[in-house]
Amino acid sequence: GSAFDAAGNFYVTDFSGNAVSKFDTNGTSVGAFGSGYNSDPESIVFDAAGNAYVGQADGTTDILKFDANGAPLASYTTTIRERGTDWIDLAADQCTIYYDSEGPNVHRFNVCTNTQLTDFTTAPLPGTYAYALRILPSGGVLVADNEEIVRLDASGAVVQTYTAPNDVSLFALNLDPDGTSFWTADLANGDVVHFDIASGTILGHFNGLSAGGSIVAGLA
């Protein structure tokens, strides 16, 4: 997982290295961000105040909170049903974190009150595993659900699915700044696909492994 802060610095979770790396606006590494990762940090998101939340796939599976300088502020123990707090996103209320655990549901946790909330999904997702997710301005959610991308409405019900030829391990996902499209990537074959949200039309694609590497596990 990866994210930009308000100043344009870039942060990447180092899953196997139990770390988060920070890069400046020129792409130059400026070292590690934060500390105390227990096992397999996988996703990162910033709030409006510049604090960062990091989801962890394994170990304690706690969501960790850091200030803009990487100093630890809090940790949150959430309900886990399959794996960990693999993929997280923060709602506009700046309190509700949506997360999934590679299972069939999208869960929610309030970091302002340190309270587990009811699941966002009203029924199990159709795919084998739920991976990266992003909250839409409408209050709905897009989820990379392995065999397909699933769009949930603001009530948590499935309203649309997106598929791409030969892609059966859709893992990474992020919204486009245009507000009308999103990008996803197949973990194994490296296919990066650009979709129109409303119509489901494929707007384009490229192979993310063309410059090297073995998997495409995140998009920003």
Side-chain angles (χ1 to χ4, degrees), residues 3-8 11 33 43-54 63-69 71 73-74 76 88-97 111-112 134-135:
F4 292 92
D5 65 16
Y11 301 75
F33 174 81
S43 55
I44 180 170
V45 63
F46 285 89
D47 66 14
N51 303 306
Y53 294 90
V54 177
I63 296 172
L64 305 180
K65 182 179 182 180
F66 302 91
D67 69 14
N69 296 313
L73 296 176
Y76 306 93
I88 63 172
D89 200 8
L90 180 66
D93 65 8
Q94 299 296 287
C95 287
T96 308
I97 285 189
V111 293
C112 296
R134 281 292 178 262
I135 302 169

Side-chain angles (χ1 to χ4, degrees), residues 151-177:
R151 181 165 71 89
L152 305 166
D153 65 15
S155 70
V158 175
V159 292
Q160 193 170 1
T161 59
Y162 310 81
T163 59
N166 303 314
D167 290 347
V168 295
S169 185
L170 295 170
F171 186 88
L173 184 145
N174 226 319
L175 301 178
D176 192 282

Side-chain angles (χ1 to χ4, degrees), residues 1-4 10-16 18-21 33 37 39-46 51-58 61-66 84-90 97-102 130-134 171-174 217-220:
S2 56
F4 292 92
F10 188 48
Y11 301 75
V12 181
T13 57
D14 304 330
F15 187 85
S16 300
N18 283 328
V20 174
S21 295
F33 174 81
Y37 304 106
S39 188
D40 300 337
E42 189 159 16
S43 55
I44 180 170
V45 63
F46 285 89
N51 303 306
Y53 294 90
V54 177
Q56 302 182 102
D58 299 301
T61 71
D62 287 351
I63 296 172
L64 305 180
K65 182 179 182 180
F66 302 91
T85 53
D86 296 33
W87 292 95
I88 63 172
D89 200 8
L90 180 66
I97 285 189
Y98 289 59
Y99 68 98
D100 58 46
S101 302
E102 298 189 15
Y131 296 119
L133 59 82
R134 281 292 178 262
F171 186 88
L173 184 145
N174 226 319
L219 292 170

Side-chain angles (χ1 to χ4, degrees), residues 205-218:
H205 68 97
F206 64 90
N207 192 277
L209 300 179
S210 58
S214 58
I215 58 173
V216 177

Side-chain angles (χ1 to χ4, degrees), residues 115-213:
T115 305
Q116 187 72 40
L117 305 176
T118 59
D119 285 351
F120 177 68
T121 40
T122 57
L125 297 170
T128 307
Y129 304 103
Y131 296 119
L133 59 82
R134 281 292 178 262
I135 302 169
L136 295 164
S138 64
V141 174
L142 286 170
V143 185
D145 202 26
N146 202 61
E147 295 86 357
E148 58 197 350
I149 303 300
V150 175
R151 181 165 71 89
L152 305 166
D153 65 15
S155 70
V158 175
V159 292
Q160 193 170 1
T161 59
Y162 310 81
T163 59
N166 303 314
D167 290 347
V168 295
S169 185
L170 295 170
F171 186 88
L173 184 145
N174 226 319
L175 301 178
D176 192 282
D178 65 13
T180 63
S181 64
F182 71 89
W183 298 78
T184 185
D186 188 293
L187 180 72
N189 68 23
D191 189 33
V192 178
V193 191
H194 188 196
F195 280 98
D196 179 79
I197 294 174
S199 67
T201 301
I202 293 177
L203 303 174
H205 68 97
F206 64 90
N207 192 277
L209 300 179
S210 58

